[in-house]
Amino acid sequence: MIEIEGISKRYDATTVVDDVSMVIEPRTIAVIVGTSGSGKTTLLRMINRLVEPTAGVIRLDGADNRSLPGYELRRSIGYAIQGHGLFPHRTVAQNIATVPVLLGWDAARIKRRVDELMTLYQLDPQAFGPRYPHELSGGQQQRVGVARALAAEPNVLLMDEPFGALDPIIRNKAQEDLLAIQKRFGTTIILVTHDMEEAVHMGDKIAVMDAGKLVQYARPAEILAKPASAFVETLVGASEKPFRLLSLGRVRDAVETGAAEGEAIPADTSQRDALAELLWSGRPALPVTGADGKPLGRVTVDGLVKRAARPT
Amino acid sequence: MKEAGVKAWLPSLLRLALVVLLIAFVTNPGWFEPLLKPLTESNAPAIYNQGSLLTLTLLHLRTVLIATVAATIVAVALAILVTRPAGVEFLPLSRSLVNIGQTFPPVAVLALAVPAVGFGEKPTLIALFLYGLLPIFENALTGLTTLPANVVEAARGAGMTGWQRLVKVELPLSAPIILGGIRLSVVISLATATIGSTVAARTLGEVIIAGLLSNNLAFVLQGGLIVAALAVLIYDGLSTIERYTARRMGQETA
Ligand SMILES: Nc1ncnc2c1ncn2[C@@H]1O[C@H](COP(=O)(O)OP(=O)(O)OP(=O)(O)O)[C@@H](O)[C@H]1O
Ligand SMILES: [Mg+2]
């Protein structure tokens, strides 16, 4: 659990983070969104004390983050920096091994962990391990940056626009990978992004920042349904709202009884993708099948449209 | 295809030829006597005969090596010091100190150093050391202050201490630039060391000065050529190391 209490950061006369308080529950993902310069990175960096706050306290699992020397604290927290920041003079394997080496793990354990992470990120340890970062594509570099942050199995992971430079397909894949890892290891993640789509998709909760202030901190559905201010409303994108709301749900939860013609939709498709498929195929309804291929019922345009309406 | 192969090999071949020629010359200068004979008058010797060329070459290199190692240690240490938060206030002071070392003519340093430390190698070492500081210091400073910010921040974020960041990230990343400074310094020192012979340091300057005193063009030429060949080879060798370290990091060098 991460408790942020009354945190402020001032540079001379300008306040870049202004009295922010929020609690991030263990094993959840909190996504920070906001315009450029709203203080997202600064807030994130106060958690691992790359930036020292002017006022306020941050507690990790109940312990003040100032009870350890900064460098020890940072070894226990994964950090994926904005723009990957890989060490250009070290191989991919050495980059990933950075924190384990600092922690003094033995060589065999480090190698096992590096191989495990590289395999997880579909980078063949034999082929990619000895390469230098500049010999990788931008997407591969970013995955290595995330792998490096995960290497020492941290309980807390801070990620600053980790998928910024990825094309939509790889970005999607990287998001799914991260969600899988988060489920598997129960990591608590704070993720900064500019992309509302990503925020809604990844976040258990979304924190909206504006000019250093935390203007709303709530579940995605609530942010979409009841934006706390005109600013949040604009950020969420008024015309996108119904679709974003749909993207939160799975087809499984929108199944109606009855049959339908056409190609079946798997139950774990997002409701948004299902609606797109219905509109594209020009049919009012399509059959839904479970993971085992058994028919579950059907999903209809009317049913989905109702779900896209503002919750009351 | 064939032509590209020849082109790629040509520099290496030239380098090798130069090394062979240089070694042959300093070990068996007699072989080259017919070539240098036309430059002498009235039956003067064409090959330096007041000492072994090989010994002088090795002593010359030793002097340059000691001065450069000392200058590298001091200049890099100074650059590290003034780029730490605690040392920033010393930056202007150390800059001017190092600049004075460079602007002060080596001959004047020799003249001033001889009364203090006597004749021989010492005053030459002092002059070369002072003269060699600036390029290394300036380059180390450039290297350490132009590191990619997010790489250094990533090192901090990973939990490296100040010392670990310096040794594991900052110095390796600025290595190519620092090497460039050392390369400049070495080449300047190789040439400057010859004037050390005016204060009785045993360098290749001896050959040149002997030639000037006895009006023997062959001596001047062979002394000059050996120094030039050394400079070219060392410059070349250090450039190669520099390019290798830089390329490994994906940096392009000019
Ligand atoms: N060291 C510093 N000194 C002075 N001002 C700073 C410093 N670091 C950040 N700022 C200012 O604080 C504000 C917030 O910066 P921050 O990096 O947190 O923004 P951000 O929300 O992460 O923006 P982006 O989305 O562009 O990354 C900016 O106006 C920035 O100029
Ligand atoms: Mg930022």
Side-chain angles (χ1 to χ4, degrees), chain A residues 99-173:
Chain A
V99 183
V101 167
L102 291 174
L103 290 172
W105 288 16
D106 64 67
R109 184 171 170 209
I110 292 176
K111 185 175 178 331
R112 261 203 317 278
R113 180 63 178 155
V114 169
D115 286 358
E116 179 189 16
L117 280 167
M118 291 191 69
T119 312
L120 187 74
Y121 277 101
Q122 273 128 23
L123 298 166
D124 175 20
Q126 237 80 64
F128 287 93
R131 287 208 201 167
Y132 286 90
H134 72 97
E135 298 167 319
L136 305 185
S137 76
Q140 290 166 339
Q141 287 171 347
Q142 249 177 343
R143 279 182 276 162
V144 174
V146 175
R148 180 175 65 178
L150 284 166
E153 297 168 3
N155 282 325
V156 173
L157 186 57
L158 311 176
M159 310 184 84
D160 203 342
E161 303 189 31
F163 310 130
L166 303 186
D167 68 69
I169 292 171
I170 296 189
R171 187 182 182 120
N172 235 306
K173 170 93 183 58

Side-chain angles (χ1 to χ4, degrees), chain A residues 11 16 35-42 82 161 194:
Chain A
Y11 289 110
V16 298
T35 44
S36 192
S38 56
K40 306 182 295 293
T41 298
T42 308
Q82 201 164 355
E161 303 189 31
H194 271 134

Side-chain angles (χ1 to χ4, degrees), chain A residues 2-256:
Chain A
I2 305 169
E3 296 161 279
I4 299 174
E5 254 181 52
I7 279 287
S8 296
K9 179 67 190 179
R10 272 186 291 282
Y11 289 110
D12 301 321
T14 45
T15 305
V16 298
V17 173
D18 192 356
D19 195 19
V20 168
S21 298
M22 59 194 279
V23 173
I24 296 120
E25 296 295 333
R27 295 177 290 282
T28 64
I29 301 181
V31 179
I32 306 177
V33 295
T35 44
S36 192
S38 56
K40 306 182 295 293
T41 298
T42 308
L43 178 62
L44 197 71
R45 287 151 65 93
M46 283 192 283
I47 296 171
N48 66 359
R49 279 176 56 207
L50 283 173
V51 173
E52 295 288 352
T54 315
V57 192
I58 296 178
R59 276 188 293 271
L60 302 167
D61 291 328
D64 190 320
N65 71 350
R66 286 166 301 190
S67 54
L68 282 178
Y71 64 90
E72 273 183 38
L73 173 80
R74 289 189 277 274
R75 287 174 195 177
S76 70
I77 296 177
Y79 179 49
I81 194 167
Q82 201 164 355
H84 76 70
L86 294 178
F87 303 128
H89 61 299
R90 295 184 162 201
T91 63
V92 167
Q94 288 169 338
N95 263 284
I96 297 176
T98 304
V99 183
V101 167
L102 291 174
L103 290 172
W105 288 16
D106 64 67
R109 184 171 170 209
I110 292 176
K111 185 175 178 331
R112 261 203 317 278
R113 180 63 178 155
V114 169
D115 286 358
E116 179 189 16
L117 280 167
M118 291 191 69
T119 312
L120 187 74
Y121 277 101
Q122 273 128 23
L123 298 166
D124 175 20
Q126 237 80 64
F128 287 93
R131 287 208 201 167
Y132 286 90
H134 72 97
E135 298 167 319
L136 305 185
S137 76
Q140 290 166 339
Q141 287 171 347
Q142 249 177 343
R143 279 182 276 162
V144 174
V146 175
R148 180 175 65 178
L150 284 166
E153 297 168 3
N155 282 325
V156 173
L157 186 57
L158 311 176
M159 310 184 84
D160 203 342
E161 303 189 31
F163 310 130
L166 303 186
D167 68 69
I169 292 171
I170 296 189
R171 187 182 182 120
N172 235 306
K173 170 93 183 58
Q175 290 170 348
E176 296 313 315
D177 285 347
L178 185 66
L179 284 174
I181 288 164
Q182 193 261 345
K183 290 233 163 59
R184 192 164 131 202
F185 296 104
T187 319
T188 308
I189 298 178
I190 306 186
L191 186 146
V192 171
T193 182
H194 271 134
D195 178 355
M196 204 57 207
E197 199 92 30
E198 182 167 282
V200 170
H201 179 57
M202 305 282 290
D204 291 298
K205 278 184 145 190
I206 296 177
V208 183
M209 293 203 48
D210 180 21
K213 288 200 169 61
L214 179 65
V215 290
Q216 190 168 12
Y217 179 49
R219 308 192 71 80
E222 191 179 335
I223 297 256
L224 293 170
K226 302 193 195 98
S229 66
F231 174 79
V232 180
E233 172 106 36
T234 320
L235 198 72
V236 165
S239 63
E240 295 281 332
K241 270 198 303 189
F243 304 108
R244 297 227 157 102
L245 208 53
L246 277 183
S247 72
L248 282 170
R250 304 277 143 185
V251 170
R252 181 180 300 108
D253 306 314
V255 173
E256 301 165 25

Side-chain angles (χ1 to χ4, degrees), chain B:
Chain B
M1 202 49 213
K2 219 172 190 173
E3 231 165 77
V6 171
K7 263 193 194 135
W9 276 102
L10 202 57
S12 307
L13 276 177
L14 283 177
R15 237 171 264 157
L16 193 68
L18 191 55
V19 172
V20 171
L21 209 62
L22 183 63
I23 292 174
F25 192 84
V26 296
T27 52
N28 288 296
W31 294 352
F32 298 84
E33 191 167 1
L35 283 174
L36 290 164
K37 198 69 195 170
L39 294 171
T40 59
E41 287 164 13
S42 56
N43 239 353
I47 298 298
Y48 188 64
N49 54 3
Q50 294 152 37
S52 135
L53 282 179
L54 177 63
T55 313
L56 283 179
T57 305
L58 293 177
L59 287 173
H60 192 103
L61 285 175
R62 192 186 73 166
T63 305
V64 171
L65 181 74
I66 296 172
T68 307
V69 168
T72 303
I73 292 171
V74 171
V76 173
L78 210 57
I80 290 171
L81 185 78
V82 300
T83 49
R84 299 309 100 181
V88 179
E89 45 189 310
F90 297 108
L91 179 57
L93 177 70
S94 53
R95 258 223 163 101
S96 25
L97 276 180
V98 169
N99 266 305
I100 291 170
Q102 178 83 8
T103 48
F104 219 75
V107 181
V109 176
L110 288 182
L112 288 174
V114 168
V117 297
F119 283 92
E121 195 184 18
K122 276 187 201 147
T124 314
L125 284 177
I126 295 174
L128 294 186
F129 166 76
L130 290 177
Y131 215 52
L133 278 178
L134 183 80
I136 306 179
F137 177 72
E138 282 296 336
N139 275 38
L141 210 55
T142 308
L144 289 171
T145 50
T146 55
L147 296 166
N150 69 335
V151 173
V152 178
E153 276 305 282
R156 229 156 70 79
M160 290 189 193
T161 60
W163 175 252
Q164 287 168 332
R165 285 202 302 279
L166 178 68
V167 173
K168 289 169 173 246
V169 178
E170 298 178 28
L171 284 178
L173 282 184
S174 32
I177 303 185
I178 296 177
L179 274 172
I182 295 174
R183 177 166 50 96
L184 285 180
S185 175
V186 167
V187 170
I188 295 172
S189 289
L190 276 170
T192 313
T194 52
I195 62 160
S197 293
T198 57
V199 294
R202 302 220 55 205
T203 71
L204 287 164
E206 234 178 84
V207 183
I208 298 171
I209 290 168
L212 290 173
L213 290 179
S214 61
N215 208 6
N216 185 334
L217 205 56
F219 282 10
V220 177
L221 193 69
Q222 61 197 269
L225 282 178
I226 297 174
V227 173
L230 289 174
V232 167
L233 286 172
I234 293 175
Y235 185 93
D236 207 56
L238 288 174
S239 302
T240 310
I241 301 176
E242 228 176 288
R243 265 200 309 276
Y244 172 75
T245 51
R247 195 172 304 141
R248 239 183 40 169
M249 295 187 242
Q251 296 170 358
E252 291 303 322
T253 45

